[in-house]
Amino acid sequence: MAPDAENYTFLCPPSKEEQEQEPVYRAPSNYNPRLTFHLPAGTGRHYQQQYGDMYFLRLAKLKPTVEQVATDAWDGLTIAGEKVRRVDRVLDVRQGELCWVAGTVYMHLPMKPNILEDLSRENFTSAPPPLRTYTDPSDPSLTRIMLEDESGRLRLTGNFLQSTQLATGAIIAALGTENANGDFEVIDIKLPDLAPQLRRWNGNAPENGVQAAGKEHGKIAFVSGLEITGTSSDTLALELLTDYLLGYTGFSGNDDNSPSLGSSKISRLVIAGNSLGASVIGDVASTNSGDAAAKKAQPKKYGYDASAYNAAPITRLDNFLAEILPSIPVTLMPGEKDPANFSLPQQGIHRTMFPQARAYSAPPVRGDEKPEAGWFDSVTNPWDGDVEGWRLWGCSGQNVDDVLRYISIEGGNSSPDKETDSDARMRIMEAMLRWRCGVPTAPDTIWSYPYQSDDPYVIESCPHIFFVGNQPQFKTATIEGDVPLRLDGDTEMTGTADDSDAARVRLLALPKFNETGELILVDTETLEVEVVRFGVFKGQEEQK
Amino acid sequence: MDSKLYLAENVLNERNPVTYRLLSRALKVHANRAKQILFEFHRNENAKKPQTVHATYVISGIQKAPEPAPTNGHADDEDEMMQSSPYLPSSMPNQDAASDSIRTTSIVLAREEDLEDAKSTFQSISTIHVYSLQPTALPDLNVLVDANREIANTHGQEDPLECGKQWGMIQNRNVKRRTGARPPPPAPPAVKAPAAKASKPSTEPTVPAKRPLQKEAFPAKTEATKSDELKSEPSSAANSQTSSKPSGKAAPAKQKGSLFSSFAKAKPKTKASATAEPAAHSAEDVVLDDASEEEAEELFPDSTDKVAAATRENRKEREDRLKKMMDDDDDDDDDDDDEADDEEMPDADEEPREPTPVEQPPPSKPAELKEEVTVQGGRRRGKRQVMKKKTVKDEEGYLVTREEATWESFSEDEPMPKKKPAVNVPKAKAGKAAGQGNIMSFFGKK
């Protein structure tokens, strides 16, 4: 099958005279990060506020939208001779009356971490232990779903709920009646659905220089979960990745067979969290001294115990970045295991962690200048921004992982089938976009900064690429929103709807590189996805 | 250097693995040429005497689906139509089935012995090249990771912006790098260079943390030449060491990283008024001072394993000192605050601290309490003002405790008041101001 080895370009002796190799140039990157999740520095950051404000703001922002959607759908609807009525507040729902109301979902789950309980047990300093699910699969009846607004709470029931997935923090409109128990029997629900989507380049033609480049297909590369440990057990895959990104190996630009694969087309690398392996610090601590093991469970903070601090992982990461930065711009998001704050939005990993790579970062901001985007950009998590004209919205994975805990997956505690698991993750990602909320369960079960005047987790402008890092498996899909202008209700869709008007989102669940060795490439023109997998061939010796 | 000589020396004599990138760096040839050189060497040596040199190969191409595959390729990677949840508006785009499978390409590293097996897993192969040569078959390919770290150690000083073209790296016209902040070459100099007295390059033309806006075509060039100048300027080895990290940060930036650098950063604060230069500079000065007095370079040994072993002793000492330092810090609250600030590093952009002239520690002295002393007949008598706590019941029946300044008299047999911590002049405070200075002398004298 394989042609004779001598046919490959590199499997031959070098030619006598050293021929000048044509330098390959990388496609330029058009990059405009947004500061949606950027917290004020130092004294501008307060932690005294109540979290209630966030829910209030979220409801205030999304209620009009969801009410609009619901009005469009349910206005004038009659069911069994009864006309559907709209109710403004949750508390105004009258028993036996067919009506709909909008509010925030709150889910009460048996295993959900409870701050009051934690306080009473005085273990409020440590991060909640990771649970696989908050539900109790043996007794689904313990799960209670409620709808709340400023006025009060209403318990939702009905078979309809079993066929839907909801999570705390989502804003919905529910149609139904209140039954004798005072519960609201739900017949149907509506979501805000996809936010309005800007066109690529925000509708404006890009600046001249970029436009010319925009004609060719470029690529945006995504990777997550590098989990560098700094030990020699670090996978060779990382070396291969470096080689590939720098164009040393693989399908270099002058390879005629697969020009589209040339890594010179990759204009930017986005690293979505967990660049450092977590266990290392714990391990080192526990080997160094016995009592350090007690600290293992705690979230990572600054101020390491000097004796337990192992600089190797971050040094290795710094080397990796410094190696690829001369050739490719990098956007680095922190993740759960990275040395950044634990609560969302995680702020960028501080540049002093990267003594070498920092040379490529933007100059420090003075005063209230608007910070400019660095070649090496250490950004927040979640993060949104424009790359090659497309709006990206991404998170390092906490959002999906957490919502997944709200959803009971068949199979109970045994680990679910990979396929169903990643399907569920895809559906959650879709749901988030339709809820218009990227991190619905913050601040309930994801630690969050107590925003007071704005809820940045609300997705006000639908992204073109919605990515989530550190998922067990690579998965992608495209979703489409409704065509914004509906004339006579959606049943009479003529099919002539202009495709370009419908919001289209590319969903990406990024795998952990450390486990899969996969780098995800997204085409900048078609948003099509490619995977490049790096690995080591397990020979017979290892397979024994 | 002759390539054969180099390989013979390293692979056959030293018995080290040599990767194509290491070779490319060492011989300053294009990576693609290095691959061919490795191939030729491998073939020639094994022709002379089989099994003297072992190779690993990188195969890139499209792999067959690992499982007894459905025609479509790896099930994991399908761009699958999701079942949208019942309540969601049906929204699935009607993508045709053709786009269902995602193009997956693989880049796989394989041993010479496994090459054929590895090849057979591929559906089509776009390239194969030699990745490395080593004298024996590698039981664990991860050894090659160390071989690549070797690159960083021995060739770390070469500016990638300058030499990248030569190595065959994909070039980027738009790369933005801050000048003046040439990152320190990792490690190796640390061993040779007692960076010592050649130091204090405060006169060097450092461009403080300002980066030219680079719309022009070859900004890299100018930078490159700049750093070139820097390099060629000093002749001695030690000199070139210092010049390669002209902007300070260097030593703390070494492997052991942030803890120390946070100190290094804290230090200039005390010095602030003394140096009108950018903080980066003063930081450097401080650092280099260290270097001259005690082998600070060794303070930051590179954490790669070889050197680590050698300097383990050293590290112990250092840790002890660090711990001690931490303890010292604990004593004075204010310092702790500073510390916390540094460590917290709330986010990347909040960093003006580093290059801006640093703030001075606020000379916060609480209102001095007065004291009058009269000397009568050889005895000192005096009055002094002290803060006393008074608890009173107010009109509403609450107990109110307030501090009031009252006068009390004292005579010389009584201890001098200033020493009393009860009196609100915190001894700690005073000690602290000095204490900060002491951190510096901590490095200096000892």
Side-chain angles (χ1 to χ4, degrees):
Chain A
M1 168 217 82
D4 189 21
E6 303 299 321
N7 289 353
Y8 298 111
T9 347
F10 302 124
L11 296 185
C12 62
S15 48
K16 286 289 162 274
E17 73 283 6
E18 195 161 342
Q19 75 272 41
E20 190 60 31
Q21 299 263 7
E22 195 67 14
V24 183
Y25 286 93
R26 190 178 293 283
S29 171
N30 185 289
Y31 179 61
N32 180 26
R34 288 156 49 85
L35 301 175
T36 318
F37 298 99
H38 194 85
L39 294 178
T43 52
R45 212 180 286 181
H46 303 289
Y47 287 90
Q48 272 83 43
Q49 312 88 311
Q50 295 291 322
Y51 283 112
D53 289 336
M54 286 180 67
Y55 288 115
F56 177 80
L57 287 162
R58 193 179 294 174
L59 186 61
K61 261 189 190 173
L62 292 178
K63 200 173 177 182
T65 320
V66 73
E67 283 181 339
Q68 185 58 46
V69 173
T71 314
D72 288 349
W74 294 330
D75 200 25
L77 185 72
T78 50
I79 296 176
E82 195 175 354
K83 203 158 178 261
V84 173
R85 213 170 64 85
R86 171 185 165 180
V87 170
D88 278 333
R89 300 192 311 156
V90 162
L91 277 197
D92 295 341
V93 174
R94 297 277 162 266
Q95 223 168 65
E97 210 172 65
L98 186 65
C99 61
W100 65 267
V101 64
T104 310
V105 173
Y106 173 78
M107 290 180 74
H108 181 85
L109 302 167
M111 315 280 275
K112 210 160 86 165
N114 183 335
I115 184 67
L116 292 178
E117 250 167 51
D118 286 349
L119 271 175
S120 62
R121 286 195 218 126
E122 294 189 346
N123 59 357
F124 46 85
T125 47
S126 61
L131 291 169
R132 225 183 50 73
T133 177
Y134 300 136
T135 60
D136 187 350
S138 57
D139 189 2
S141 65
L142 289 176
T143 301
R144 279 179 286 153
I145 304 179
M146 282 166 270
L147 192 68
E148 70 172 23
D149 64 7
E150 314 88 275
S151 68
R153 265 186 193 174
L154 187 64
R155 180 157 174 204
L156 304 183
T157 59
N159 289 331
F160 185 80
L161 293 180
Q162 260 134 51
S163 60
T164 64
Q165 54 190 19
L166 290 172
T168 295
I171 310 286
I172 62 164
L175 173 71
T177 55
E178 189 178 322
N179 64 16
N181 299 331
D183 296 342
F184 194 72
E185 290 263 2
V186 180
I187 309 170
D188 195 8
I189 62 175
K190 288 285 172 205
L191 310 176
D193 214 336
L194 298 190
Q197 189 176 40
L198 297 170
R199 286 176 185 233
R200 191 185 178 188
W201 300 115
N202 207 351
N204 306 323
E207 294 139 35
N208 333 342
V210 190
Q211 196 168 28
K215 292 269 190 286
E216 349 174 333
H217 289 232
K219 306 227 181 282
I220 309 168
F222 293 88
V223 73
S224 80
L226 295 175
E227 307 203 347
I228 295 170
T229 56
T231 62
S232 64
S233 68
D234 267 347
T235 52
L236 266 172
L238 189 68
E239 300 292 336
L240 294 174
L241 172 68
T242 313
D243 289 2
Y244 174 72
L245 289 174
L246 293 178
Y248 290 131
T249 202
F251 328 89
S252 42
N254 52 4
D255 188 344
D256 298 332
N257 299 333
S258 47
S260 70
L261 285 170
S263 54
S264 64
K265 299 281 189 262
I266 301 171
S267 60
R268 172 167 294 273
L269 175 68
V270 178
I271 303 177
N274 289 4
S275 309
L276 299 183
S279 57
V280 180
I281 285 159
D283 290 348
V284 171
S286 58
T287 49
N288 278 8
S289 65
D291 40 344
K295 292 181 183 164
K296 230 175 174 178
Q298 289 189 359
K300 287 214 246 115
K301 295 193 189 105
Y302 285 100
Y304 292 101
D305 182 359
S307 60
Y309 177 55
N310 176 8
I314 193 83
T315 310
R316 184 74 196 90
L317 175 62
D318 183 37
N319 288 343
F320 167 68
L321 291 171
E323 201 163 0
I324 61 170
L325 275 167
S327 183
I328 184 169
V330 173
T331 298
L332 175 69
M333 288 165 60
E336 206 173 6
K337 299 175 180 172
D338 287 332
N341 54 332
F342 187 78
S343 62
L344 296 188
Q346 290 184 290
Q347 301 298 297
I349 302 176
H350 201 273
R351 75 180 76 190
T352 43
M353 305 292 273
F354 305 111
Q356 297 179 67
R358 61 190 288 180
Y360 298 91
S361 60
V365 204
R366 284 192 197 77
D368 35 271
E369 279 172 44
K370 191 173 178 294
E372 77 185 275
W375 185 254
F376 165 52
D377 201 13
S378 184
V379 299
T380 57
N381 166 40
W383 170 78
D384 65 346
D386 298 323
V387 178
E388 319 304 343
W390 302 107
R391 171 66 51 84
L392 271 58
W393 200 108
C395 181
S396 298
Q398 292 100 320
N399 54 352
V400 170
D401 291 351
D402 194 60
V403 171
L404 196 67
R405 297 187 188 119
Y406 281 74
I407 291 162
S408 45
I409 303 166
E410 314 89 78
N413 267 329
S414 62
S415 66
D417 172 27
K418 259 188 150 186
E419 231 9 73
T420 44
D421 179 69
S422 60
D423 276 352
R425 287 167 189 273
M426 268 290 130
R427 273 201 289 277
I428 289 169
M429 289 173 69
E430 182 190 8
M432 283 172 176
L433 286 170
R434 301 202 186 274
W435 293 331
R436 292 200 195 179
C437 190
V439 194
T441 54
D444 186 24
T445 41
I446 297 185
W447 291 10
S448 167
Y449 176 77
Y451 281 100
Q452 194 159 36
S453 52
D454 184 29
D455 179 6
Y457 301 127
V458 171
I459 300 173
E460 298 193 56
S461 164
C462 188
H464 298 98
I465 300 175
F466 183 72
F467 63 95
V468 168
N470 301 300
Q471 301 301 300
Q473 202 177 13
F474 170 67
K475 192 92 180 168
T476 183
T478 315
I479 58 165
E480 245 176 45
D482 285 343
V483 182
L485 279 179
R486 271 170 301 170
L487 297 174
D488 301 312
D490 27 11
T491 47
E492 290 178 33
M493 284 270 285
T494 48
T496 56
D498 186 2
D499 258 9
S500 62
D501 277 354
R504 250 170 164 268
V505 188
R506 168 61 74 174
L507 307 183
L508 292 177
L510 307 175
K512 294 176 189 153
F513 183 83
N514 191 35
E515 288 169 13
T516 62
E518 286 175 339
L519 173 79
I520 312 301
L521 302 179
V522 178
D523 190 291
T524 54
E525 299 304 308
T526 60
L527 294 188
E528 262 164 32
V529 180
E530 256 176 67
V531 179
V532 182
R533 188 176 297 145
F534 302 90
V536 173
F537 185 78
K538 293 251 183 298
Q540 284 147 350
E541 282 174 49
E542 282 174 36
Q543 279 165 354
K544 270 178 218 162
Chain B
M1 202 198 306
D2 182 38
S3 61
K4 282 193 192 113
L5 198 65
Y6 178 88
L7 285 171
E9 210 168 86
N10 279 278
V11 179
L12 300 177
N13 294 347
E14 306 271 332
R15 308 189 73 74
N16 287 331
V18 172
T19 64
Y20 74 97
R21 286 185 66 191
L22 183 58
L23 184 71
S24 142
R25 297 284 169 102
L27 303 181
K28 304 207 182 329
V29 295
H30 195 280
N32 288 348
R33 192 175 168 85
K35 295 169 191 169
Q36 294 170 339
I37 294 173
L38 286 181
F39 173 79
E40 188 188 27
F41 184 80
H42 177 247
R43 200 176 55 173
N44 291 346
E45 290 302 314
N46 281 355
K48 278 188 243 164
K49 191 181 165 202
Q51 298 294 307
T52 39
V53 181
H54 292 254
T56 55
Y57 293 89
V58 170
I59 312 167
S60 43
I62 296 171
Q63 246 177 333
K64 290 179 202 157
E67 282 111 339
T71 49
N72 226 354
H74 201 327
D76 290 357
D77 302 319
E78 276 173 29
D79 186 3
E80 125 167 353
M81 294 287 84
M82 307 184 319
Q83 293 279 318
S84 64
S85 326
Y87 68 87
L88 297 171
S90 80
S91 61
M92 288 298 135
N94 34 358
Q95 287 186 338
D96 38 353
S99 68
D100 264 358
S101 76
I102 290 214
R103 179 170 185 161
T104 304
T105 48
S106 299
I107 297 181
V108 168
L109 183 66
R111 292 183 190 82
E112 186 178 359
E113 304 83 60
D114 305 323
L115 183 61
E116 289 309 317
D117 290 345
K119 270 179 175 173
S120 64
T121 65
F122 278 81
Q123 183 184 318
S124 70
I125 295 178
S126 102
T127 55
I128 297 181
H129 67 77
V130 181
Y131 185 80
S132 68
L133 293 184
Q134 50 277 329
T136 50
L138 291 177
D140 180 8
L141 287 175
N142 285 331
V143 177
L144 295 175
V145 175
D146 293 330
N148 275 336
R149 279 181 197 164
E150 185 74 22
I151 297 179
N153 289 344
T154 50
H155 302 283
Q157 311 90 318
E158 289 159 26
D159 186 344
L161 294 186
E162 196 181 349
C163 310
K165 191 171 156 191
Q166 192 181 36
W167 302 329
M169 184 177 85
I170 295 176
Q171 302 290 292
N172 203 319
R173 292 192 173 89
N174 307 318
V175 62
K176 292 189 273 188
R177 187 170 67 181
R178 287 193 277 169
T179 52
R182 179 85 174 84
V191 194
K192 309 174 219 159
K197 279 79 180 182
S199 61
K200 305 250 180 187
S202 45
T203 49
E204 250 180 359
T206 330
V207 189
K210 186 63 194 170
R211 189 188 53 179
L213 284 182
Q214 295 163 339
K215 290 291 175 211
E216 294 87 345
F218 290 105
K221 263 277 144 61
T222 56
E223 270 175 40
T225 49
K226 198 170 277 175
S227 61
D228 212 359
E229 280 169 17
L230 285 182
K231 254 183 217 156
S232 55
E233 200 176 340
S235 52
S236 82
N239 274 356
S240 72
Q241 267 340 305
T242 51
S243 79
S244 66
K245 41 181 168 130
S247 80
K249 279 146 220 159
K254 285 283 150 49
Q255 318 292 348
K256 207 54 186 174
S258 61
L259 252 182
F260 258 89
S261 61
S262 74
F263 279 99
K265 258 192 329 179
K267 268 177 275 162
K269 284 189 190 172
T270 66
K271 242 189 160 185
S273 55
T275 60
E277 303 160 12
H281 256 231
S282 52
E284 179 188 44
D285 288 351
V286 172
V287 165
L288 290 173
D289 277 349
D290 293 348
S292 57
E293 312 266 349
E294 48 175 45
E295 359 73 323
E297 290 290 355
E298 243 115 68
L299 269 183
F300 312 99
D302 92 55
S303 60
T304 57
D305 304 323
K306 304 171 219 161
V307 195
T311 56
R312 187 159 300 145
E313 267 314 292
N314 233 315
R315 185 184 292 172
K316 261 232 170 93
E317 269 175 47
R318 190 179 67 242
E319 273 165 13
D320 287 347
R321 263 182 279 139
L322 255 178
K323 266 196 191 135
K324 204 173 139 211
M325 204 143 82
M326 299 311 236
D327 290 347
D328 286 351
D329 282 344
D330 287 345
D331 292 344
D332 33 38
D333 306 334
D334 213 14
D335 205 310
D336 262 356
D337 288 348
D338 281 352
E339 202 63 45
D341 267 357
D342 274 344
E343 285 172 8
E344 211 172 272
M345 303 196 243
D347 61 63
D349 299 286
E350 187 244 339
E351 217 199 353
R353 167 177 297 127
E354 158 201 20
T356 44
V358 245
E359 339 83 63
Q360 270 175 302
S364 63
K365 281 211 174 164
E368 290 271 38
L369 293 177
K370 283 166 238 155
E371 190 179 286
E372 295 172 6
V373 182
T374 54
V375 181
Q376 273 182 1
R379 291 201 69 182
R380 272 161 34 111
R381 298 207 150 273
K383 277 184 179 174
R384 62 176 176 234
Q385 208 176 17
V386 276
M387 301 301 287
K388 286 220 165 149
K389 278 195 177 152
K390 269 194 177 175
T391 308
V392 232
K393 198 180 246 186
D394 69 6
E395 312 89 10
E396 287 162 326
Y398 295 114
L399 284 177
V400 179
T401 306
R402 52 169 85 91
E403 281 196 336
E404 282 178 353
T406 54
W407 290 91
E408 70 172 55
S409 55
F410 68 98
S411 64
E412 69 179 344
D413 1 342
E414 287 180 43
M416 283 304 280
K418 281 263 163 88
K419 304 254 149 79
K420 273 204 271 175
V423 181
N424 255 355
V425 186
K427 149 97 171 135
K429 262 254 148 86
K432 195 227 121 201
Q436 273 203 338
N438 278 343
I439 291 184
M440 292 200 40
S441 53
F442 172 83
F443 283 101
K445 282 159 203 161
K446 197 136 204 202

